[in-house]
Amino acid sequence: MGYWLKRLLVLVLGSLSLLLATLCFNWGFTALSESRQMERLPQSPIAVLASGPYAVAGRTERELNVLTAPYSGQSVLYVRYLLEEEYRDSDGDLRTRTLDSGQRSTRFQLTDDSGNLRVDPTLSTGNINWDVQRTYRVRQGDLIYSEWTLSEGQRAELLGRFQPSNQTLVFNTLNFNLPATITDSSLQAAGGQSLLRAALIISLAAGLVSVGIALILIGLGIHRFILYVSAMTVIMIVYLWGQGLYQLEQDWQRAASLYQTRMTALGSSPTLEQRTDLLAMRSLIARGAEPWPDRLFFQQLASDYFPAPEGLDSALRQAVAERIANYPRNRFGNGWVALLASIGGAGLSILLLWLGIRRIRLKRLIEHLPTAATTGLSYGLAELKGKVDLQAEPLTSKLTENPCVAFHYLEEEKRGSGKKSRWVTLEEIDRRLPFELTDESGSVWVYPEKATMHYSDTVTRREGRRRYKESWLPPDTKLYCLGFAGLDANRSDRLALQHEDEQPYIVSTLDEQRLIQRKGAQGFLFTSVSLGLLLSAFLILLAYAGSLTPADLLLTALLIPVFLFLYTLILHYNDLIFLRNRCDKSNADIRTILQKRHDLIPRLNQVLQDYLEHEQELQTALTKLRTANPELSDSPDQIDQYNDQVEALNRQLIARSEAYPELKANTLVAEFMEQVETTENYLSLLRNGYNDAVELYNTQIHSFPDLLLAKAFGFDEKALFRR
């Protein structure tokens, strides 16, 4: 697939993500509105019912006929049944399949202290939320029989539509975004399930928005992190607030319609009990309007759409207020499930955030690190571009038999079937040869062991249940390389690109811009999914606490800039830590070499005392060097001064060795003189690498916004070597 076609496809996927997010928002807010509407209905006595939706509770009684449960044979008013069979698939794994399922209901009576009414769920059995306990589960061999039932004599809570004409509670055409519900626990628990469902769907929508924005930025070729943060902050807040306020307005219109319908059904002369029940309903609506911005909507609609019933004395109003104060809120009842889901979402969010930070850091490093010429290579992390020049016989790839510098071969076999099928690795080969990377100025050796390889040539073949995949790097390929330029183990006077612990190492056929875009895209996607999971964890906790409201969702949107600000802070802080450690590593390498040479001086001093007792100047120089310790100083000026003294001593030794043949033949003196020369070659390379690292570090700590972090966390400027 071509590069531009891929970008177009990414743009389309981003747009589809935003479209799907809008649909999920509508779906999620519908579930949230269901829960909120359920909270606005008080549990009404049967005697006060008029036309319209009501929440009632009482004891179930048979009307005429009862049902016989198909497996247990019990007499029931409702039954949902399920017959499953356990079996082993071709791999011997235990699986389950459904052989039979269904549900049935019959009419029954519901009785409370004020009266009774007929309940007819038969018109819409499949559309009712039956939240009842499983009462039967029996295993017979490989068969599992299960039943969920509602029986005569049980206490039940119902949410349905009352028809005064036949004194019946039905569950079709309920309207007002109220879910028809019959439960043997409580309507608040059923509403809590809607609350949790809303939290999951809305967090999915938020995640889709986040991913959609990232995909659109990737498709447009935008990889600047500051643009990603800005776009994510602005668009997410605008989108979430726009959706939230729109859905909130729709929700309050439903609430107003529900209350007006109740008032109209009561007529012009409601009984005292009906007015009391209406006041309870209004009080519940007002309780749900306590948070901002619900309060604004309620205040605007209160006088016209939520008038308080008249003719109730203060004592009765006080009794209703006390009743409503203790009225339970909807909340998801299974705390362990909510807690584990929230912890799991937060943990996965942190993992993806860490992966995103790693990729964004690498992208920023590639952007900021200048491309070096092979002849001007400095010790330390380096970026090179050039062409492969293989100095040995090429490898031959196993599958395609192509000549190459490196190849990766993978042979897999598909085992199992269905959802449990998996690919098992039969053979994996990864071979790489050292090569020279040449550019216009010269060449440098590259040792690609442990490098992350990006191959341009890849082939995949399928034969039966086996799959073969091979990638290879042909000779004369143009490469981008990012790695550690360290002392070549084969020659002490040159650098080679190689692996170094805790340093990135990439050998890629992609050019620098494509690599930046790829790492930026990966970082954006990981961050976006992490943000969606974080919102999901937070919303699940709110659902469990029973406090998930549109106001909470609007406030949740404000977490996005906080999250992205902390993300940016962590990213920039890690950048400074990396650059400072790079400087310290280069400095430590210099001091290690100096210390190794310094350790020869006491032994050298003993040898020279036997030969050159009368050479006072030479003895003084040795004494001064013996007492000096290059490891105790981090100052480049002091290190240079120390090295000057060693070089001066070496020159004097060379001059004296001509006059003293015995001295010239001494192995320790020869070793010292050789190390002085070798160390000078090392230091020339190491000083350049240190200066490059320090220049990049000093530039970064004086750049906005890193200078704020540098001052706050004590990132001080470092000195350069002067020569």
Side-chain angles (χ1 to χ4, degrees), residues 134-302:
R134 181 165 58 183
T135 56
Y136 182 79
R137 187 177 189 273
V138 172
R139 180 189 294 269
Q140 295 180 0
D142 294 333
L143 301 179
I144 303 173
Y145 298 86
S146 300
E147 291 177 348
W148 293 259
T149 63
L150 180 67
S151 302
E152 183 181 6
Q154 281 187 259
R155 186 184 182 280
E157 295 190 10
L158 295 77
L159 178 57
R161 179 172 59 86
F162 183 67
Q163 295 181 153
S165 58
N166 54 6
Q167 296 292 295
T168 302
L169 193 71
V170 295
F171 300 90
N172 58 334
T173 62
L174 190 56
N175 299 327
F176 307 105
N177 208 32
L178 284 166
T181 305
I182 299 178
T183 176
D184 58 4
S185 57
S186 70
L187 288 175
Q188 284 73 34
Q193 294 179 3
S194 295
L195 210 58
L196 180 65
R197 185 170 67 252
L200 293 174
I201 297 172
I202 292 172
S203 57
L204 172 62
L208 286 171
V209 173
S210 179
V211 171
I213 296 170
L215 289 173
I216 289 176
L217 292 176
I218 293 168
L220 294 175
I222 297 173
H223 55 79
R224 296 291 181 187
F225 182 71
I226 187 63
L227 293 178
Y228 168 77
V229 171
S230 301
M232 189 67 70
T233 301
V234 173
I235 297 176
M236 284 287 284
I237 290 179
V238 170
Y239 195 93
L240 289 177
W241 274 68
Q243 282 286 335
L245 291 175
Y246 170 76
Q247 296 292 345
L248 194 59
E249 181 182 8
Q250 297 295 310
D251 177 67
W252 277 103
Q253 288 179 0
R254 296 187 190 102
S257 178
L258 179 64
Y259 190 77
Q260 288 292 309
T261 299
R262 175 70 62 88
M263 287 185 61
T264 303
L266 294 179
S268 57
S269 302
T271 65
L272 179 63
E273 290 78 10
Q274 288 177 327
R275 281 178 283 159
T276 303
D277 186 61
L278 183 62
L279 178 62
M281 181 178 180
R282 188 187 186 281
S283 299
L284 284 175
I285 293 174
R287 186 183 71 169
E290 290 173 357
W292 182 92
D294 285 288
R295 185 168 59 253
L296 298 180
F297 285 93
F298 180 73
Q299 289 173 351
Q300 292 176 356
L301 299 172

Side-chain angles (χ1 to χ4, degrees), residues 378-510:
S378 298
Y379 182 87
L381 198 61
E383 176 183 276
L384 295 170
K385 298 174 184 177
K387 188 170 67 172
V388 174
D389 184 8
L390 185 61
Q391 298 296 314
E393 284 294 321
L395 299 170
T396 301
S397 62
K398 180 172 181 177
L399 183 64
T400 57
E401 298 183 347
N402 285 309
C404 56
V405 178
F407 74 90
H408 179 262
Y409 169 81
L410 182 65
E411 180 181 348
E412 298 173 302
E413 183 178 60
K414 190 174 184 180
R415 295 179 181 174
S417 59
K419 295 181 179 179
K420 294 189 177 181
S421 64
R422 63 191 186 278
W423 288 98
V424 178
T425 299
L426 300 179
E427 184 180 10
E428 185 172 8
I429 302 174
D430 190 358
R431 295 190 60 189
R432 306 173 186 186
L433 290 178
F435 59 87
E436 283 191 289
L437 188 72
T438 62
D439 60 12
E440 296 178 353
S441 64
S443 62
V444 64
W445 276 92
V446 177
Y447 298 97
E449 291 82 6
K450 298 184 180 181
T452 300
M453 302 287 292
H454 296 160
Y455 297 98
S456 60
D457 297 289
T458 300
V459 64
T460 301
R461 293 178 184 172
R462 182 83 177 266
E463 295 178 3
R465 297 180 69 85
R466 292 199 175 185
R467 180 172 65 185
Y468 306 87
K469 184 177 181 180
E470 185 173 80
S471 303
W472 68 96
L473 184 65
D476 300 325
T477 304
K478 291 183 178 180
L479 293 179
Y480 169 90
C481 297
L482 174 68
F484 186 77
L487 300 173
D488 194 332
N490 298 319
R491 284 182 53 181
S492 62
D493 61 341
R494 73 182 185 189
L495 298 174
L497 210 63
Q498 55 196 286
H499 172 263
E500 178 77 5
D501 290 341
E502 299 181 0
Q503 300 279 8
Y505 191 17
I506 298 174
V507 176
S508 176
T509 56
L510 298 173

